[in-house]
Amino acid sequence: MNVYLKRCTDYNKAEEVLLPLLKKYSDKFKTGEKVLVKPNLLSPRQAETGITTHPKIIEVILKFLLDLGTKPYLGDSPATSTALEAAKANGIYDICKKYDVPLVELDEPVKVDGENYKGIMISKKVLEADKIINVAKLKTHVQMIMTLAVKNTFGCVVGKEKSAWHFRAKTNTNFANVLIDIHNIVNPTLNVIDGILGMEGNGPANGFIKRFNVIGVSENAYVLDHAIIKALNIKEKYVYITKEAMKRGLIPHYELESDWEGGKIKLPLTAPIFETVTNLTRIFERVPKINKNKCVACKICENRCPAQAIDIDNNKFIDYSKCIRCYVCHEVCPQDAIKLVRRLI
Ligand code: SF4
Ligand code: SF4
């Protein structure tokens, strides 16, 4: 099992760095195969925000697949919009047009059972693919602490079903196991992480843009995530998905080939970094709070809240007795109008 972490400081050099890595896996793709390319199209944001997969990365992957004679198509099911809107905002739409590659919404749900969780609504367009290339971003995540390759396959779950899983799972540990079940169903052939630009702080959408200067590739998303976490000096126990993957025996021994120096990252305020903070979080926990001056009453958060805890018409009220602290509202707010504040339990 190999993981490649290669330094890349500029999207204009992405082909130089990424293409040789992809070519190591050429024999995994056959002429005529339908290959789904699954980027991170979280919401309609420009590529320079570090929130969504950069079009230059997608261009290298599509050229690689077309040269092999496969039939690539690109798709996602974004949290707050359509794949088309998100792809237009970030530039992936233009790349798909340039190479005549279909851009699809990951809709048409098919019920699939995971190892622990049953009845997961995966898009038919995912299940119909012969192969999948999962193209994630390197970002922090207020609920899961980090969002990397394993978390990126959550976008294969259709539309609002994603919010419903937050509610069904209830705890972060359970939710990490839902994500692992989904990832194992999707089972990408190859995983790429675009970490040239990413996000730290309260990601995945409302943190700070961070230049990590790395591209990661592996056939195994668990070890790819693990290698990045280690390079960023993050303890595995803080990253729910990696912690649960370790418990489930999903992180095998791997060979790391890297010229990336890694470094430090500001984790979200929700991360239990020090024991004292962990103790404090038993009494105080982070809850979402709407900044009424910034809020434009678009109701995206209300529509996406899995616990129906938000009532924008009622003076932008959040019912904390219903709120399950999934922070979806914080993730989806396009105005960065939701803060995570400490509150006595
Ligand atoms: S808090 Fe954000 S997402 Fe919610 S209604 Fe206001 S602007 Fe929209
Ligand atoms: S209010 Fe926000 S954090 Fe609470 S359940 Fe709804 S989406 Fe999740």
Side-chain angles (χ1 to χ4, degrees):
M1 190 69 61
N2 292 90
V3 176
Y4 301 96
L5 298 181
K6 292 288 174 185
R7 183 172 162 77
C8 185
T9 56
D10 186 340
Y11 281 106
N12 290 320
K13 293 187 179 150
E15 182 162 352
E16 209 177 290
V17 176
L18 179 54
L19 194 55
L21 300 179
L22 296 175
K23 283 185 173 171
K24 291 177 188 287
Y25 298 93
S26 294
D27 60 354
K28 294 200 171 286
F29 301 93
K30 296 191 175 57
T31 307
E33 280 185 330
K34 289 180 285 174
V35 184
L36 169 65
V37 177
K38 161 66 181 80
N40 181 331
L41 285 175
L42 181 76
S43 54
R45 306 291 180 103
Q46 292 184 335
E48 292 67 33
T49 59
I51 294 170
T52 48
T53 306
H54 199 282
K56 293 268 189 196
I57 297 286
I58 295 298
E59 183 167 18
V60 178
I61 294 170
L62 294 183
K63 277 165 75 177
F64 163 71
L65 289 171
L66 290 166
D67 283 351
L68 289 173
T70 67
K71 292 180 181 157
Y73 61 108
L74 186 136
D76 200 357
S77 172
T80 61
S81 67
T82 63
L84 181 64
E85 284 166 346
K88 277 188 171 171
N90 114 324
I92 285 178
Y93 174 79
D94 295 330
I95 298 297
C96 287
K97 271 195 98 175
K98 181 174 168 186
Y99 293 94
D100 201 18
V101 167
L103 173 70
V104 302
E105 305 293 333
L106 294 184
D107 49 15
E108 298 186 66
V110 176
K111 214 182 249 189
V112 184
D113 290 341
E115 191 184 333
N116 294 320
Y117 293 90
K118 311 295 174 201
I120 300 168
M121 296 296 193
I122 303 284
S123 169
K124 193 176 160 197
K125 294 163 190 171
V126 173
L127 302 173
E128 283 176 350
D130 296 313
K131 301 281 164 60
I132 294 169
I133 301 188
N134 176 32
V135 199
K137 286 296 286 185
L138 196 174
K139 295 189 292 180
T140 47
H141 191 277
V142 281
Q143 187 187 18
M144 291 289 99
I145 309 309
M146 294 298 291
T147 170
L148 299 163
V150 176
K151 169 79 173 56
N152 196 48
T153 46
F154 190 40
C156 296
V157 174
V158 171
K160 286 192 176 180
E161 265 299 303
K162 286 191 280 299
S163 301
W165 277 109
H166 284 280
F167 191 69
R168 290 178 199 130
K170 299 277 193 265
T171 68
N172 291 346
T173 298
N174 290 348
F175 188 60
N177 279 292
V178 171
L179 295 171
I180 289 171
D181 273 11
I182 292 164
H183 184 78
N184 291 347
I185 292 167
V186 175
N187 191 22
T189 302
L190 198 55
N191 301 275
V192 177
I193 290 187
D194 165 15
I196 298 178
L197 273 184
M199 183 161 280
E200 64 176 0
N202 291 334
N206 290 313
F208 305 107
I209 302 169
K210 168 107 173 172
R211 185 167 277 283
F212 293 103
N213 295 327
V214 68
I215 295 175
V217 175
S218 178
E219 59 197 284
N220 182 312
Y222 296 103
V223 297
L224 178 55
D225 288 4
H226 186 263
I228 287 183
I229 286 164
K230 297 302 283 180
L232 290 171
N233 297 298
I234 306 167
K235 290 197 167 83
E236 293 108 325
K237 66 180 181 180
Y238 299 147
V239 182
Y240 293 99
I241 296 171
T242 299
K243 186 177 162 193
E244 293 308 303
M246 288 172 94
K247 282 192 208 161
R248 288 170 67 166
L250 291 168
I251 305 194
H253 171 74
Y254 60 90
E255 301 293 331
L256 174 63
E257 192 181 307
S258 175
D259 63 0
W260 179 49
E261 65 280 12
K264 287 191 172 168
I265 182 170
K266 250 186 234 147
L267 290 179
L269 290 170
T270 44
I273 301 171
F274 305 110
E275 285 307 309
T276 45
V277 177
T278 308
N279 290 337
L280 266 179
T281 55
R282 292 188 186 124
I283 311 165
F284 295 97
E285 63 180 346
R286 296 270 173 189
V287 294
K289 187 168 186 226
I290 297 176
N291 178 335
K292 292 177 184 170
N293 296 324
K294 279 177 123 181
C295 173
V296 296
C298 65
K299 296 194 181 178
I300 289 174
C301 58
E302 183 180 305
N303 289 332
R304 284 287 166 175
C305 172
Q308 297 176 337
I310 303 175
D311 188 349
I312 294 297
D313 288 340
N314 181 14
N315 198 23
K316 301 175 182 173
F317 173 70
I318 297 180
D319 183 344
Y320 294 121
S321 67
K322 287 186 180 172
C323 171
I324 58 168
R325 285 47 159 171
C326 67
Y327 310 128
V328 166
C329 51
H330 176 272
E331 176 179 331
V332 300
C333 175
Q335 304 296 325
D336 193 13
I338 297 184
K339 294 291 163 212
L340 301 176
V341 298
R342 284 205 186 281
R343 181 173 179 269
L344 195 60
I345 296 171

